[in-house]
Amino acid sequence: MPSVLITGANRGLGLEFATQYLSDGWRVHAACRQPQSAAKLQRLAKGLAKDKVDRIEILAMDVTDPDSIARAAAGMGDDPIDVLINGAGIMGEPDQKVGNVDYLAWSRILEVNTMGPLRVVEAFIDHLARSERKLVVTITSGMGSLSDNTSGGWIAYRSSKAAVNMVMRSAAIELAPRGISCVLVNPGWVRTDMGGATAPLSPTESVAALRQLIGRLGPAESGKFFHYDGREFPW
Ligand SMILES: NC(=O)c1ccc[n+]([C@@H]2O[C@H](COP(=O)([O-])OP(=O)(O)OC[C@H]3O[C@@H](n4cnc5c(N)ncnc54)[C@H](OP(=O)(O)O)[C@@H]3O)[C@@H](O)[C@H]2O)c1
């Protein structure tokens, strides 16, 4: 049974990944900051038949807290992880413009969006290496694309995503000898708490398309940046 570890799995895109992979027969390690209040994840687990309850594990993990990541990795023992989805992310307040940047908030955004994904990868390298797929998928954003930025604004969020693109591009090169692939994906603009109610895509649509893409990713695609619809995205 293939397995997936998802960060930020209690809501938004992470929750949708957990839902879809679970119904597709995968073993799902759903990581979130507060499992005890992750009602939607708990409902997902309760909805499983008795002989399938071990198909989901809800883990406590804050991607900015190295101890919580290490505890989650140790708790997983020797289990392989086929696909690691770095979903956790924050956007910050809208007015991130020249002359109005909150530098403390910016460093928090970098902690979560840029350093968080690498911290998680570092802790789970051995779990990935002993799996079949050996794939890290980091959810970045079109807003992290240099060439796509024609409107400015969102300096903290954009820079955190541009930086994680570079982090994962390097990780792709460094982890290739262990057979681990690292890919960046833009989910499109999606109706989540972050994307808001007017976004054109539903989480179901975005994640269904991303899962189709993820299904065909391997070493040949490592270090690349993809749009949710499967096209390569400009850096
Ligand atoms: N929605 C869009 O249109 C869109 C577009 C481009 C890229 N993205 C990216 O897609 C990813 C998922 O976004 P979303 O739309 O699903 O956002 P969301 O609905 O706001 O969910 C964000 C998730 O990240 C978690 N999170 C935040 N800080 C965390 C931390 N320190 N440790 C662990 N988990 C943390 C949240 O957990 P809590 O509930 O505990 O806060 C929540 O589960 C993000 O990386 C985002 O940047 C989204």
Side-chain angles (χ1 to χ4, degrees), residues 8 10-13 33 61-64 87-90 108 112 139-141 157 161 187-190 192-195:
N10 57 311
R11 59 189 170 98
L13 293 169
R33 290 196 279 192
M61 197 198 293
D62 181 325
V63 303
T64 65
I90 55 173
R108 176 73 190 158
V112 177
I139 306 186
T140 179
S141 169
Y157 182 69
K161 292 298 191 179
W189 184 17
V190 192
T192 61
D193 292 339
M194 184 185 290

Side-chain angles (χ1 to χ4, degrees), residues 36-135:
Q36 66 283 5
S37 50
K40 288 178 181 161
L41 270 182
Q42 286 168 14
R43 265 206 298 284
L44 210 54
K46 281 198 186 108
L48 291 171
K50 274 211 177 95
D51 59 331
K52 293 192 174 131
V53 282
D54 63 341
R55 293 247 317 276
I56 186 166
E57 180 191 25
I58 305 176
L59 300 164
M61 197 198 293
D62 181 325
V63 303
T64 65
D65 173 8
D67 292 342
S68 78
I69 300 171
R71 272 196 301 276
M76 220 177 274
D78 289 339
D79 286 1
I81 294 172
D82 286 280
V83 178
L84 161 54
I85 298 179
N86 279 312
I90 55 173
M91 206 169 184
E93 296 303 316
D95 202 12
Q96 301 164 19
K97 291 189 174 142
V98 178
N100 193 36
V101 169
D102 177 340
Y103 284 86
L104 204 60
W106 188 357
S107 59
R108 176 73 190 158
I109 291 169
L110 290 169
E111 283 260 358
V112 177
N113 295 358
T114 308
M115 300 178 207
L118 188 64
R119 277 194 199 286
V120 177
V121 169
E122 285 182 322
F124 287 93
I125 284 178
D126 291 337
H127 298 81
L128 284 159
R130 62 174 81 92
S131 76
E132 272 185 33
R133 292 292 311 277
K134 300 180 180 53
L135 178 65

Side-chain angles (χ1 to χ4, degrees), residues 165-202:
N165 289 356
M166 184 59 90
V167 168
M168 289 300 155
R169 175 102 176 171
S170 278
I173 296 162
E174 293 174 31
L175 296 178
R178 297 203 64 184
I180 297 172
S181 305
C182 300
V183 174
L184 292 139
V185 297
N186 168 24
W189 184 17
V190 192
R191 290 190 296 278
T192 61
D193 292 339
M194 184 185 290
T198 57
L201 287 170
S202 69

